[in-house]
Amino acid sequence: MTDTADDPQQEPDLLSYRLTDEQDVLLRTIATEFARSGKWPVFDHAISTLEDDYGMDARNALTSLPRVPDSPDMLGRPSYGFTALPPRAVERETPVALTVAAALVLPELRQLISEPFLRVMHHMIKVYWETPRDPYVVKQVRITSEQLRAAVHIGDEALWALLPGILRNEIATRRCVSSIGPEASTWSGEIDREILRFRDCFTVEDYVAKVSEIVIGWAREAEDRYRPSPPIRRPPLPGVTAPVAEDTEPATGQAPHTFQQLHIHSGDHSPVNVNASMAYADQGGATASASSAANKARWWQLSRWRRQR
């Protein structure tokens, strides 16, 4: 079970989350294959392993894993959890990668993924911080895999090939890899200023806490920005009185669910019955047309009489 509170509005706490048996088997199946081959297995491998060997449902295990925010918005804002992709983006053929946060529940991943990532991240922070500013140019800091190899030791050669994918899956470095060479271990990218927000994160716990804070903040900003505005109540026009119909019998004897007459006050403050005028206009359509024709005939006769004179 989890250590999250009973409040359904509270976001899950990745730092204190405890896996269910089904979730634990899923993550260990993925991590074991990664440690063996240096590659992330496709989700179909997890489906087959959990169903055939344990009688468990891999899709249910994946869907039940916690993510922050708990209900990601539909505006493209990222969420974060133990897997890189949210469940809705995972198909049978999708490689399932684990994040740095997975080391919180699988300690063996600390040395394999999380600690090398933190060393790379802090080197990028150092490079960005030491690059001088130019008051007339936007600060752009480039970095290549060769530069990282010369400055940071992360161990296994297979990890260098996986490093671009790991960097792209993490909030702190997701924009740092923009171009990958013929070999997966050869790449380059730009260090984003946002990485400075993580300069005080030296442990996995510090990093995951900061990521959770950032993605929850993004979700709240999106909710505030796109929350529907309340309906606008326009004031009534001056000189117009329109009593609202009530469900009860009015004092005037009018039947319920009908509207009373609407009166508009003219310039001399004498009320004009709009309902009567509208009824007159409705039933007098043909009469108005005939009257117009008669007026035209009179005008033609008068014009002819004036010309004859």
Side-chain angles (χ1 to χ4, degrees), residues 30-107:
I30 298 170
T32 299
E33 181 58 29
F34 173 78
R36 185 190 68 82
S37 64
K39 299 179 180 179
W40 297 115
V42 295
F43 188 52
D44 184 72
H45 171 71
I47 292 176
S48 302
T49 301
L50 266 69
E51 184 175 336
D52 297 346
D53 299 349
Y54 300 94
M56 295 179 175
D57 186 339
R59 174 63 68 178
N60 180 69
L62 180 67
T63 305
S64 64
L65 285 172
R67 295 196 74 82
V68 180
D70 187 36
S71 299
D73 63 282
M74 302 304 291
L75 302 173
R77 294 290 185 181
S79 61
Y80 191 71
F82 300 139
T83 59
L85 293 175
R88 65 177 181 274
V90 176
E91 303 295 340
R92 298 181 71 96
E93 66 276 9
T94 306
V96 184
L98 303 183
T99 65
V100 169
L104 295 171
V105 292
L106 299 180

Side-chain angles (χ1 to χ4, degrees), residues 125-143:
I125 293 173
K126 179 175 180 289
V127 170
Y128 189 93
W129 189 257
E130 293 179 350
T131 301
R133 295 188 296 268
D134 186 334
Y136 309 105
V137 179
V138 176
K139 187 174 182 177
Q140 293 181 327
V141 182
R142 302 286 300 178
I143 194 168

